[in-house]
Amino acid sequence: MPLVTAGVVVLDCAEPEKLAVFYKELLQAEETEATADLVEIRAVGGLRLGFRRDANATPPSWPRPENSFQAHLDFLVEDLDAAERKVVALGGRTLEAKEAPGPYEERGCADPAGHTFTLRRTRQRGPKQG
């Protein structure tokens, strides 16, 4: 048995209930625990996220250098455009798009509380061409 196992990624925010709804909808997750100051969810595939109340939470300022990265999440998607539309519909926003050809296309986004994450296109798993 390992000494340390993966737990929960916790994001501090002013309104954990609202942020949990954003990620529950984005990840098709289920709520596993809720208290006055913490909401936890579990996504398909087992990713666990927590949202902890902090009235003094300061959103990251990425891409500006001051207070830029506090944490960063990557989400794999098949359809970047559809995923981006869902983020925006749920109250998030797009920060940056990298339209490089190939399997590494990605888009920088922020959730409603300002935490940054990347939508990254999943690699094609078909046979190699040529």
Side-chain angles (χ1 to χ4, degrees), residues 62 84 87 93-96 107-111 114-119:
W62 191 89
E84 181 180 23
V87 166
R93 60 192 165 94
T94 301
L95 299 174
E96 172 184 70
R107 300 207 180 134
C109 299
D111 66 28
H115 301 103
T116 58
F117 60 92
T118 298
L119 300 174

Side-chain angles (χ1 to χ4, degrees), residues 68-98:
S68 62
F69 277 125
Q70 295 175 2
H72 178 83
L73 303 169
D74 282 355
F75 297 114
L76 302 177
V77 301
E78 300 262 340
D79 184 332
L80 280 169
D81 293 331
E84 181 180 23
R85 284 191 299 272
K86 186 165 189 170
V87 166
V88 172
L90 293 170
R93 60 192 165 94
T94 301
L95 299 174
E96 172 184 70
K98 293 182 182 175

Side-chain angles (χ1 to χ4, degrees), residues 7-28:
V8 178
V9 175
V10 179
L11 300 175
D12 290 346
C13 56
E15 299 178 281
E17 302 84 2
K18 288 184 179 180
L19 198 55
V21 168
F22 172 84
Y23 282 102
K24 278 172 43 179
E25 293 294 322
L26 181 65
L27 301 172
Q28 297 178 345

